[in-house]
Structure formats: structure tokens, C-alpha cells
Amino acid sequence: MLSTQLKLDFPNIQTRLTDVEVDQLSKAIRSATALTMGPYLKEFEKNFADYLNIKFAFGLSSCTAALEIAAMISNIGPNDEILVPAHTFTASALPFLRKKAKIVFVDIHPETFVMDLQSLKNKLSPRSKVIVPVHLYGLPIAMDEVLDIATEKNLIVIEDCAQSPGAEYKGKKVGTFGDFGCFSFHGQKNITTLGEGGMLVTNNDKYCEKILGLRKIGARPFIDQEQYWKPAMSNIVEAIPGEYPHNFGLGEIQAFAGILLLKRIEQINAIRRRNTEVIVKELADFPELQFQKIPSNCLSAHHLLPAKYNGGKYNKNRDSLIEQLYSQFGIKCAVQYYPLYRYELFKNNGYSEKDFCPNTEDFFNNMISFPFSTDMSSEDLQYLIDCLKKSLQKLRG
């Protein structure tokens, strides 16, 4: 039972619209000439492509939709192996599972919590076709090494940037290294398109028409159309033989929210970076709490605030810390993410403990994710720090 009122909940919204942005959104609703696939979407796509310095951006209903389209264009099938970190959100692997490809689970690095490149190399085979580097918690993977591997083995690279818009590796934005970049604007991400939304980006000209043909019911203009209404308002195409189109459109008002928040994404990420640095510095005297290591050549988007609690020395574990924070201080934390091969969905499709990844297991069994958001007040930030210090000290005995 809680001994005190819940004071810091784990947030479902990471960044809220300002009053000014809400007013702008209201005006956009009243003046809209379309509610889907209209001018706001085109503007958001252009702005996002310009922000990343990439040629093409396509607004979609989710990052999962972006991964689905990337999987279809990559012509993935049952004879192919897809290399995905075992520690990530389910959507990173789901589109490839749907294509009946073999998911090869790659372990994570024990300090950065993202895909370990030596594990990646060890798990390559002649059937390897796609690498899915996931820039988890906002931290970029060493993409030059990933690209070296991909080039040598002739592999497709699909970057999962769901948690990392604005993150950089060696001064270059993530999502612009691979064949595809997939972004999320879910309500729990740094910027949102009002709950759901995503973006698929690429520098490859030959993918554009395929993406457009797969995104929205296959609707594309007729070639050499005589009049705008003849032979019909639009054609329905088969962009890729054997692949049926989806309805992955992004609504106009969602796109407009994306336009607004994209304008301040650098400010949002800077706030999150500063707050992370404050927390890590304040807790430096508690080495049993290991935060994500940020390499010097990486600029993280700091999507979440994960850490690993090494309490064995004090005969305590992660659950002890979570319970202490919750029952004594009203702070609700989370545990992310279950190793993918442990989920019922993957077990029912042939995956099991044989896919065991030791660093992934160790991190999952000891990780804790603290409540953290862009709009976190200085008072709440200090409260989290103070309560963590008290809890960690108490767990030391």
C-alpha cells in the first residue's frame, strides 16, 4: 500500500503543447480544407526532411507502419535473417515476424544498453539480409561500424529511430545513415502528433513511388490522365508485386501538431539532456546505479531515463529500489523491455531460451526507468533526486 499520495507518475505524455500551440492548432482545425493527406502533411514532411538533411520523408500513422513498409520494400521472406536487438520495443521486430523471416536476436552492450556490434558480427550468416539498429532511449548506435558491416555483407540497414528524433552520431542526424529511417511521434515520444504518428525517410529515389503506393490504399494518379476525373479520380496500383497496400495515412491536424513541435525539437532535447546530466551528476556517489553511457561522439535525444541497479553488495535488487520509491515517496517507475524472445508472441512462432542473450537478460533483470519528461518541473526533478539518494542510502543498510 502507498504510504503517501502518488507524487511522480510515469508519464504517458512526454511533451505537451503550449497554450500558444493549442491556439494555433484550434485555428488549423477551423480553417482546414482537408483532414487527411493534405497540405499540412506535405509541409510536415518537407520540414522533417529539411531538419534531417535527407531527400525524402513520408508521414505515416506510426513508426511500426514505417517499419512495415521498409520490410515490404526490402523484399523480406522466410529464407531471410533479420538482425534485431533482443532489448527493444516489440515493434522493432514485429514487421519482420509478419513476413515470416527469421529474427536473429543480437545482444546489447552492458554500458550503452544498445545493440552490441561484436554480438552483431558474431550472429551474421549467409542468410543475413537486414540489420535493424535501434537507437534506444535516444542513444545512437555507432553507425559507421554498422555501415561497414552492411557494405561488406551487402545488407539492408533499417534504422529504428522511434526514440531518437534529433539524436546525432558524429554530427549527423540518425535516420540518415541507412537505407531507411523510421520515426515515431507517439504521445510518449519527445515530440508527438497527438498520440500516434510516424515518419519514414530515405535518400533513395527508387523507393519513393513504392512508398506512396503502399501508404494509402494504393491510390496513385493515372499515367497520362486525360482529365482529372477520367478514367477515375485515381488509380489503385500494386506498388510491389504481391504486396497489398495499407491505410497508413497521417491526419492533417496530427501533421500540424508535428509542424509545431518540430520547430522546438532542439530545445526539447536540450532540456532533456540538461536534466539527465543534473540527475547523473547528483547521483555520482551511488555507483550501484549505472546510467546509460553516452559516447563522446554521440548526441542523445534522452528519450527516457534508464539505469541498472547493482545492489548485490547490499543484498538488494532492482525490485527493492522500485518498491522503496513507490511506497515511501510516491514515485512510480517502470521496467523496460522484456527480452523479445520471452514474449508469448515470439514463443508461439518458434523462439525460445535458445535465443538467450546474456547482457540483455542481465540488464532487464536489474533495470529501472525513472519518471522523466520534457515538462518536468525543477521541483519534481529535485524531488526525484532527493528521494533517490534517500532510497539508495537506505538500501545500503
Side-chain angles (χ1 to χ4, degrees):
M1 295 289 294
L2 267 174
S3 61
T4 185
Q5 183 181 0
L6 186 63
K7 294 186 177 181
L8 280 183
D9 200 354
F10 200 82
N12 289 316
I13 300 174
Q14 283 290 331
T15 303
R16 294 184 178 275
L17 291 165
T18 65
D19 289 343
V20 172
E21 289 167 341
V22 170
D23 288 341
Q24 290 176 290
L25 199 64
S26 177
K27 291 176 182 176
I29 293 170
R30 288 194 295 268
S31 63
T33 57
L35 289 177
T36 186
M37 308 302 290
Y40 291 142
L41 177 60
K42 291 180 180 178
E43 182 180 352
F44 184 33
E45 291 172 335
K46 181 184 183 302
N47 293 355
F48 200 77
D50 289 345
Y51 172 67
L52 294 184
N53 192 25
I54 200 166
K55 291 177 72 173
F56 307 108
F58 303 90
L60 300 167
S61 56
S62 67
C63 184
T64 308
L67 288 161
E68 292 277 3
I69 290 179
M72 287 188 283
I73 294 175
S74 299
N75 191 30
I76 292 164
N79 293 323
D80 300 318
E81 292 184 352
I82 316 301
L83 297 118
V84 180
H87 180 70
T88 183
F89 185 58
T90 314
S92 301
L94 185 58
F96 311 102
L97 186 70
R98 201 189 315 278
K99 300 295 289 182
K100 306 299 181 183
K102 168 66 176 177
I103 310 296
V104 177
F105 292 109
V106 180
D107 211 349
I108 60 171
H109 192 281
E111 295 181 340
T112 63
F113 314 153
V114 296
M115 180 187 280
D116 181 73
L117 296 182
Q118 187 56 56
S119 177
L120 173 65
K121 292 175 184 177
N122 293 343
K123 297 200 174 185
L124 292 169
S125 83
R127 293 176 58 192
S128 299
K129 186 167 186 178
V130 173
I131 303 173
V132 185
V134 183
H135 307 298
L136 201 66
Y137 306 121
L139 179 64
I141 294 173
M143 285 306 299
D144 52 359
E145 296 182 52
V146 172
L147 294 181
D148 285 345
I149 295 169
T151 299
E152 180 184 351
K153 302 295 184 180
N154 193 29
L155 305 178
I156 297 167
V157 176
I158 302 175
E159 291 180 74
D160 184 338
C161 312
Q163 300 185 2
S164 58
E168 298 178 6
Y169 176 68
K170 294 186 175 179
K172 184 178 178 181
K173 294 284 193 295
V174 297
T176 63
F177 291 89
D179 297 273
F180 302 94
C182 305
F183 292 83
S184 173
F185 307 123
H186 185 276
Q188 291 179 324
K189 300 302 189 292
N190 291 19
I191 64 172
T192 181
T193 49
L194 302 180
E196 297 286 355
M199 193 77 75
L200 177 61
V201 305
T202 185
N203 274 315
N204 194 318
D205 296 75
K206 70 180 182 180
Y207 294 154
C208 292
E209 192 59 32
K210 293 179 180 179
I211 294 170
L212 291 170
L214 292 166
R215 172 170 66 174
K216 187 69 176 176
I217 316 296
R220 300 297 298 138
F222 284 97
I223 298 174
D224 300 325
Q225 193 163 9
E226 181 182 350
Q227 299 286 353
Y228 75 84
W229 67 91
K230 295 171 63 176
M233 292 295 288
S234 67
N235 194 9
I236 302 297
V237 303
E238 187 178 37
I240 300 175
E243 294 285 2
Y244 300 141
H246 291 266
N247 188 358
F248 287 153
L250 181 67
E252 279 290 274
I253 304 308
Q254 291 176 288
F256 190 77
I259 292 170
L260 296 175
L261 286 173
L262 183 61
K263 291 178 181 178
R264 57 185 180 101
I265 188 171
E266 292 296 311
Q267 176 190 6
I268 289 167
N269 288 351
I271 290 170
R272 303 175 76 89
R273 181 164 51 253
R274 180 194 66 210
N275 287 348
T276 299
E277 289 171 353
V278 169
I279 292 170
V280 172
K281 182 178 179 181
E282 286 283 333
L283 293 163
D285 291 337
F286 298 91
E288 62 267 35
L289 195 64
Q290 174 193 342
F291 289 96
Q292 187 177 35
K293 180 180 180 180
I294 311 295
S296 59
N297 57 12
C298 291
L299 184 68
S300 176
H302 295 282
H303 167 57
L304 295 171
L305 186 63
K308 179 180 176 183
Y309 177 64
N310 301 293
K313 179 179 178 181
Y314 310 106
N315 198 30
K316 296 294 191 298
N317 58 31
R318 179 268 316 278
D319 296 340
S320 307
L321 179 56
I322 291 178
E323 173 60 27
Q324 177 81 8
L325 289 168
Y326 186 69
S327 63
Q328 298 300 313
F329 301 106
I331 297 175
K332 187 176 182 180
C333 299
V335 174
Q336 301 152 310
Y337 298 93
Y338 209 41
L340 292 185
Y341 47 79
R342 284 208 213 172
Y343 281 116
E344 177 183 327
L345 173 65
F346 291 91
K347 285 184 175 181
N348 288 347
N349 283 274
Y351 299 93
S352 65
E353 296 305 318
K354 65 179 171 41
D355 299 292
F356 182 88
C357 293
N359 292 338
T360 295
E361 293 283 339
D362 182 58
F363 181 63
F364 172 74
N365 291 333
N366 296 284
M367 81 87 63
I368 177 172
S369 190
F370 301 108
F372 189 69
S373 70
T374 304
D375 305 314
M376 195 173 191
S377 69
S378 57
E379 291 79 13
D380 283 346
L381 184 69
Q382 192 59 53
Y383 182 74
L384 175 63
I385 292 169
D386 292 343
C387 294
L388 267 171
K389 287 180 177 178
K390 292 175 183 176
S391 295
L392 290 167
Q393 189 61 55
K394 186 173 183 179
L395 291 177
R396 285 180 173 183

